[in-house]
Every structure is written in C-alpha cells, then in structure tokens.
Amino acid sequence: MSDPRAFVSFDFDNNAVEKILFAGQAKTDSPTPFTIEDWSSKSDLPQNEWEALIETKMSRTHMCIVLVGESMASATGVAKEIAMAKANNVPVFGVYVGGAGTSSTLPTGLARSRTIAWTWAGIAAAVTQMMGEGKNA
C-alpha cells in the first residue's frame, strides 16, 4: 500500500508558513510515512466552487490534519473543512503551530483530546491511529 494521504487544513491568512514547514518536514522527519498533497485552491473561487473542490479532495484522503494556530477563531474555512472530513468519514486530528497551545481556541469540530504538540513522534503515532479509524477501519 502506498503511504497514507493527508489533507492539511490551516488558517491561510495566519499559518501559511507553518503549513509549508510542516509539509516539508513530514517528508523527512516523520517516523511514520505519509504524504501531504498540496490541494489548496490556487485562486479565489466562489464559495460553492471552493466547497465542491475541497469536498472532492477530502474524499480522496485518509485523514485530515488541522494545523491549529493562535487565530483559529477567525478561520471559518477550517471549520468547514473539518465538517467535510467528518461527512466523508475521514478521521481528523490537530497539531498546535505558531505559538498555539492547550489554552488556544480550537476550530469548531476539533476536539482538544485529538490535538497534539508538533513532535514527529506524536504525529507519527496519530497517523498510525488515524489509519485504524473512520473510513480506514
């Protein structure tokens, strides 16, 4: 089987740098291999086109990893992506980035118990766990 595919949800306005770093480091630093596809929309789209595009991409993944930054309360697209993941039976977990931590606001639909610090050992364990949940079970 090929490596699990992950959809990465993040606050485009505040955590784009962390997304680039996360995707780059995942290739070399994660003890459990997984791939991150860059499925971000390359241009502004009308809401209905964006939702259809993301829904299609989400359905093709094994998991959704939410990069939880300090400004998550204003990231409405992230909450929509989490809802799409759940609608497609795609397991979701979060990773704190950009100074966020256990007291930071989480996006709607993401449980604190499923949000972890950015350590590759922890992320690898979460990837392994996700492969036994939802549509992967």
Side-chain angles (χ1 to χ4, degrees), residues 9-10 13 15 21 34 40 42 63 67 81 85 96 105-106 112 115-116 118 127 133:
S9 180
F10 66 102
D13 293 329
N15 298 114
L21 293 172
F34 67 100
S40 302
K42 305 298 185 223
M63 70 198 73
L67 301 183
E81 290 170 349
Y96 294 116
T105 301
L106 295 179
R112 179 111 18 226
T115 308
I116 61 174
W118 184 344
V127 167
E133 294 183 4

Side-chain angles (χ1 to χ4, degrees), residues 32-54:
T32 300
F34 67 100
T35 59
I36 296 174
E37 302 291 338
D38 185 4
W39 284 334
S40 302
S41 177
K42 305 298 185 223
S43 60
D44 286 333
L45 297 171
Q47 187 66 28
N48 63 333
E49 287 182 37
W50 175 83
E51 288 180 5
L53 177 70
I54 298 303

Side-chain angles (χ1 to χ4, degrees), residues 6 26 29 33 41 46 48 50 55 58-59 61 64 70 77 84 89-91 97-98 102 104 107 112-113 117 121 132:
D29 296 354
S41 177
N48 63 333
W50 175 83
E55 185 91 28
M58 187 69 71
S59 70
T61 64
C64 176
E70 292 184 296
M84 287 178 198
N89 204 21
V90 173
V97 300
T102 57
S104 298
R112 179 111 18 226
S113 63

Side-chain angles (χ1 to χ4, degrees), residues 75-95:
T76 56
V78 172
K80 287 182 181 183
E81 290 170 349
I82 292 168
M84 287 178 198
K86 291 183 176 188
N88 284 283
N89 204 21
V90 173
V92 178
F93 74 97
V95 177

